[in-house]
Structures are given as C-alpha cells and as structure tokens.
Amino acid sequence: MNDEVAVGDCDGLLQLFSMKRGALQLAFKTVPGKSITRLELGGALNTPKDKIFVSAGNEVRGYTKKGKQFLGFDTNLAEDIKSILELPGTPSALHLFYGDAGETGDLVLYGTTDGRLGLIQLGRSAASHRWVCDTSSLGSGPGGGAAATTTAGGITCMDHHDMTGS
C-alpha cells in the first residue's frame, strides 16, 4: 500500500505526493492559478476516495489521482469557496430548512439525482449529516407500508413547512 498526500497551496498548485519503497515521489503537479482554499478527497459511495476536489476563488475543479482534470466549473459566487460538502449522491435540489435554515441558521435540506433526501448541518470547518432518507426504499404497496419497493427518480425540486402548527 502506498501512502499518498494531496496538497493545495496559495499559488494555486495542486500536488499529489506518494511514498513508494521509502522514497517520496511527486505523482503530479498542476499549473499555478488562483489560491486553493479547500481540498477534499471523494469518490462514489462505498468506494475508495480516489478523486481530488479543490476550490480556488469561486471555481470548483476535480482531478483523478493521475492529475487529469475531469471537472471544472465557475459557481458565480461573489466570495471565495471555503467549504466543500460531501453528500451521499449528486445534489439536484437545495432548500434552506424551514426557509430560514432553522433555529440555528445552519440547516440545509437537499435532494439527490438518485432519490435521496437529507438534512445537513453546516459547521465552520465541517458539515454533519442530521439524517438521510433513501426514497427508493419507501414502499407504495397496499396500506402504504414499506413492504413494496419502488424505483424513485431523482429529486428535482422540493419545499416544506411546519405541519405541527407550532
């Protein structure tokens, strides 16, 4: 097993180092650009984290461990990105919890392209998942029970409100 370390710096360089047979090796290095403000490793759910995601200014880029850029987009945000969320699927809908991010002002409801619905709490340095519901496992059989399995599509939009009347 090789130890690998991905590093982003203020000159906008992304570098991947590995330790092979006791020697430090540079796997790849990108060209300089905007200062990298956040770096996260990611990948498909329940697989090794073999992708590198960085934010630089208001851009997000994704790289393979061989240094090939496979993702890049400008978010059109006015401020630099300082946090990247890791969700259990590709987000397709976002909504502030109760329209105002909840009592603490840091809750976001999200839906994914594979039919998951979840609530995430945003912290200063990390986010925590409050709950995730896989809507494809919800049943629609007789009596509305969970005995039957349905194939749910991706979530494209949502809204919600407090139905307790409080």
Side-chain angles (χ1 to χ4, degrees):
M1 181 174 170
N2 297 327
D3 291 328
E4 295 178 320
V5 176
V7 177
D9 68 21
C10 61
D11 293 326
L13 290 172
L14 171 62
Q15 301 176 75
L16 180 67
F17 298 97
S18 63
M19 186 67 77
K20 293 183 181 175
R21 295 185 270 316
L24 184 64
Q25 296 182 350
L26 177 64
F28 76 83
K29 176 165 83 170
T30 63
V31 296
K34 293 179 185 175
S35 177
I36 295 175
T37 53
R38 188 68 180 190
L39 182 148
E40 292 286 337
L41 298 179
L45 193 61
N46 299 323
T47 65
K49 293 184 176 191
D50 60 351
K51 305 284 187 280
I52 304 165
F53 296 92
V54 297
S55 63
N58 62 352
E59 299 174 359
V60 174
R61 296 189 304 268
Y63 295 89
T64 65
K65 285 193 174 180
K66 295 188 180 202
K68 182 179 182 209
Q69 184 176 338
F70 67 89
L71 174 72
F73 62 91
D74 184 332
T75 63
N76 291 324
L77 295 172
E79 297 183 20
D80 290 352
I81 299 169
K82 295 192 171 56
S83 180
I84 299 176
L85 296 179
E86 186 174 331
L87 299 176
T90 305
S92 55
L94 297 171
H95 188 70
L96 293 176
F97 194 62
Y98 286 126
D100 62 0
E103 290 180 15
T104 55
D106 58 0
L107 299 174
V108 176
L109 189 65
Y110 66 89
T112 65
T113 57
D114 61 356
R116 290 189 177 105
L117 180 65
L119 182 66
I120 193 163
Q121 185 169 19
L122 305 174
R124 290 190 77 67
S125 61
S128 61
H129 294 272
R130 298 283 296 267
W131 52 263
V132 178
C133 175
D134 184 356
T135 61
S136 66
S137 66
L138 297 177
S140 63
T149 313
T150 63
T151 304
I155 295 173
T156 58
C157 56
M158 64 183 150
D159 198 357
H160 71 290
H161 63 278
D162 183 359
M163 294 188 294
T164 64
S166 54

